Amino acid sequence: MRGEKTIATLDLYDYLLSGQRTGDALLHEGDTVFVPPRGAAVHVTGEVRRPLTFEMKAEEGVRDLIRYAGGFTAEAKTDQVHVSRIVPPQERLPEQPDRVFEDLDLRLKMLHLLRDGDVVRVDRIDDRLESWIEVQGNVKQPGRYQYREGVTVAELVKQAGGLWSDTLTERAIIDRTESDQTRTAVDFDLGAALDGSAPVSLRPMDVMRIFSRWDVQDRYDVAISGAVREPGTFEWRENMTLRDVILKAGGLKESADLLRAEVSRVLRSAVESRETGAPPARTVDVITVQLGDDWLSSGGHFALEPHDRVAIRSLPWWELPRQVTVRGEVHFPGVYTLSRNDERLAAIIARAGGLKHTAYAPGTRVVREKDGIGNVAIDLTKALSKPGSEHDAILDDGDVILVPPRPYTVKVAGAVGFPTSIIFERGKSLGDYVSRAGGYADMADKWKTHVVYPNGMSKQIRKIWSDPEVMPGSTIVVPLKSPDTGVGKLETLKEIASIFASVATVWLVIDRTQ
């Protein structure tokens, strides 16, 4: 506006939507740019390219709104839109809704005017796709293809690149969707459909499944176990021999018995019998096959059948040397081979030159890693004094015999005043060592105190009777009271001890008066 006159009017929608600058006048000093309040605003949603709110002129309709919104998307339903409209105040009636819903048919060549507050929705077309057929399974190019009127199974198979050589031609299946969306299965002779003797026509949305014969038939196998390097199960082949499966299993072990192999075979005549009554007496035949040293060249030609199970036995007395290790205070420590299956501890100590004068026999122990056993507590003194007795343990492969030097301390651990190691003194009792370690702590469970000897054996105090012997290298363990060990139980034990002391006093008095 220049002075009292309107010099130019700029339609921003034309500028923003199409780039047209008609009415974009050059401004002078003193000009006024007036932006009026918006007019009717309409919101559009759904399948348009710019779903937004747009201002509409009085003479503009739905088609103008669609143009402002960038037009329809490819999936838009273009023949009809839906409008949610606010009833103008002057048209509202009592007990009637203040909003109405209208469908506008865009196929009519008329101006569909809009009102302020209208919400226009553009629907999407139906997702259903019907003009296709599909082939799955044993064809070279499975997938969906265009449906053509009168197309046959043979034509679809040709379009899919043809069949693979292992195709099951006796039967194929079509999953068919009827017009009411119910589904039916149609099976047919695929070979006859392909050679034209019994052609099969397809319908829209038919899904044809073509099978490999291995989809309906297990592949045969054979298995081998025993003295081969990699026992396992292998796929059976026509003309497969015993030598073939041994080679697939990595060959024979050195321990294999070359004189014979056992082949267990299903007796098909027995398992396929249709006779009723008692079951067959035997369903498996065990065949002994001679191998020989020349099994790679002339032996091992025995033909295998599906599901055969081959067992290669080991020589009965063949085994690798079993060894034990002797460490510590012996004259010749080192690794020793067990000369017999029942060789014992005393014999190995003798082979190691016997114990040195510094050896501490009560502390000797055996560590057995085999089967995760770990420490084995032994009494070497009794084993050496009575070879072959129950104390003279039979050794196993991998055993480690540890013969320590004589220790000179006793360790006191657990709930004592000052856990420490104390010089061993012959004749000192368990209580003496506990006293030297500061005595029992307040929460000590005295009655569960035990002594762990150097060889791994353990003894618990016998309460009223004598304490276990303390030897050099022993560990005295004083545990804490468990949560359920209360003062009441301790008081009860004290009372029992008092009763025994009283009884002992009475017997002493009686003995002196006699």
Side-chain angles (χ1 to χ4, degrees):
M1 298 178 64
R2 188 168 296 158
E4 300 296 330
K5 295 182 180 179
T6 299
I7 301 303
T9 299
L10 175 64
D11 189 331
L12 285 176
Y13 273 18
D14 286 342
Y15 173 62
L16 294 174
L17 299 180
S18 60
Q20 296 181 13
R21 303 182 62 170
T22 304
D24 188 8
L26 184 65
L27 296 177
H28 292 180
E29 184 179 359
D31 285 354
T32 299
V33 178
F34 177 70
V35 180
R38 71 164 176 83
V42 178
H43 185 73
V44 59
T45 65
E47 296 302 315
V48 291
R49 300 188 186 279
R50 285 192 292 265
L52 296 168
T53 299
F54 297 93
E55 182 182 359
M56 306 294 294
K57 295 179 181 178
E59 69 277 8
E60 291 179 330
V62 170
R63 290 182 176 82
D64 298 297
L65 175 66
I66 300 300
R67 179 171 57 86
Y68 291 156
F72 294 113
T73 66
E75 296 180 331
K77 189 174 182 179
T78 60
D79 59 347
Q80 179 180 256
V81 297
H82 310 286
V83 179
S84 175
R85 175 165 293 166
I86 300 173
V87 177
Q90 64 274 14
E91 298 179 14
R92 296 173 189 170
L93 299 175
E95 301 180 358
Q96 294 293 325
D98 296 332
R99 294 178 183 271
V100 294
F101 192 85
E102 295 183 14
D103 293 332
L104 304 181
D105 191 346
L106 300 186
R107 294 172 297 182
L108 302 177
K109 304 299 182 182
M110 60 177 294
L111 179 63
H112 296 284
L113 296 177
L114 299 172
R115 297 180 181 179
D116 188 24
D118 281 357
V119 177
V120 178
R121 189 183 82 244
V122 179
D123 287 340
R124 175 181 294 190
I125 59 174
D126 194 350
D127 289 334
R128 183 180 297 181
L129 179 65
E130 296 185 350
S131 58
W132 56 268
I133 49 178
E134 183 175 349
V135 58
Q136 300 176 348
N138 218 45
V139 292
K140 296 182 179 179
Q141 296 173 354
R144 285 188 176 183
Y145 294 86
Q146 177 185 350
Y147 172 76
R148 302 184 308 278
E149 188 70 30
V151 64
T152 64
V153 165
E155 292 171 339
L156 178 59
V157 168
K158 182 179 180 181
Q159 192 174 2
L163 303 175
W164 293 108
S165 59
D166 60 341
T167 299
L168 182 73
T169 59
E170 287 81 359
R171 245 34 222 165
I173 296 175
I174 296 174
D175 291 327
R176 176 161 292 165
T177 303
E178 305 291 350
S179 57
D180 60 356
Q181 296 304 300
T182 59
R183 291 182 171 88
T184 58
V186 179
D187 67 327
F188 60 95
D189 186 329
L190 178 61
L194 295 178
D195 64 19
S197 59
V200 177
S201 297
L202 297 172
R203 298 181 187 177
M205 296 189 292
D206 276 357
V207 178
M208 178 171 62
R209 176 65 186 269
I210 296 176
F211 300 93
S212 162
R213 66 177 55 261
W214 302 113
D215 291 333
V216 297
Q217 177 182 334
D218 290 333
R219 291 188 180 273
Y220 299 136
D221 64 18
V222 293
I224 184 169
S225 61
V228 290
R229 297 176 62 205
E230 296 178 5
T233 301
F234 303 93
E235 188 173 326
W236 177 80
R237 299 283 192 269
E238 290 283 352
N239 303 319
M240 192 178 206
T241 65
L242 178 58
R243 178 172 50 222
D244 296 335
V245 75
I246 292 176
L247 290 173
K248 286 178 178 287
L252 297 174
K253 289 184 177 180
E254 189 178 354
S255 60
D257 183 358
L258 298 179
L259 294 181
R260 66 191 184 96
E262 282 187 0
V263 179
S264 302
R265 176 168 295 171
V266 175
L267 285 174
R268 292 193 175 275
S269 59
V271 299
E272 294 175 358
S273 174
R274 298 296 190 272
E275 296 181 6
T276 59
R282 193 161 58 96
T283 59
V284 175
D285 190 16
V286 178
I287 306 168
T288 300
V289 181
Q290 300 295 326
L291 282 175
D293 295 334
D294 58 346
W295 65 274
L296 274 174
S297 55
S298 60
H301 54 272
F302 179 81
L304 296 179
E305 295 185 3
H307 310 303
D308 278 357
R309 296 296 183 259
V310 180
I312 305 295
R313 307 300 179 190
S314 295
L315 293 170
W317 310 117
W318 194 97
E319 65 175 356
L320 291 172
R322 300 186 305 146
Q323 295 182 318
V324 297
T325 303
V326 184
R327 296 175 183 169
E329 300 303 301
V330 293
H331 287 91
F332 304 108
V335 177
Y336 290 85
T337 299
L338 297 174
S339 59
R340 46 190 293 176
N341 289 334
D342 59 348
E343 190 160 7
R344 295 176 181 265
L345 177 62
I348 291 296
I349 294 295
R351 289 170 63 185
L355 302 179
K356 291 182 178 179
H357 71 279
T358 55
Y360 186 54
T364 302
R365 57 194 177 96
V366 174
V367 178
R368 181 164 293 171
E369 299 296 340
K370 188 174 181 180
D371 300 325
I373 293 176
N375 186 74
V376 179
I378 60 171
D379 191 331
L380 181 59
T381 302
K382 292 182 179 179
L384 295 178
S385 63
K386 295 182 179 180
S389 66
E390 65 272 13
H391 297 287
D392 191 11
I394 296 176
L395 298 176
D396 202 350
D397 184 36
D399 283 355
V400 179
I401 304 167
L402 302 175
V403 183
R406 180 178 179 84
Y408 294 97
T409 60
V410 173
K411 184 177 180 180
V412 184
V416 292
F418 185 70
T420 187
S421 294
I422 301 169
I423 298 297
F424 171 78
E425 292 185 39
R426 188 176 302 279
K428 295 296 182 181
S429 67
L430 181 149
D432 294 330
Y433 289 104
V434 172
S435 296
R436 293 186 180 186
Y440 291 105
D442 291 339
M443 293 303 294
D445 195 342
K446 300 178 183 179
W447 304 113
K448 291 187 179 178
T449 301
H450 55 279
V451 179
V452 180
Y453 295 108
N455 64 354
M457 292 184 182
S458 177
K459 287 185 180 180
Q460 188 173 337
I461 64 174
R462 301 181 63 187
K463 301 182 180 180
I464 296 169
W465 293 273
S466 61
D467 292 337
E469 179 187 3
V470 179
M471 302 169 60
S474 300
T475 300
I476 301 172
V477 181
V478 182
L480 289 169
K481 291 178 181 177
S482 59
D484 60 346
T485 304
V487 177
K489 290 186 177 180
L490 184 58
E491 295 300 329
T492 302
L493 292 173
K494 288 182 178 179
E495 292 176 4
I496 295 173
S498 177
I499 292 171
F500 274 99
S502 300
V503 172
T505 302
V506 170
W507 279 106
L508 180 60
V509 172
I510 294 173
D511 182 65
R512 289 183 177 178
T513 58
Q514 289 180 348

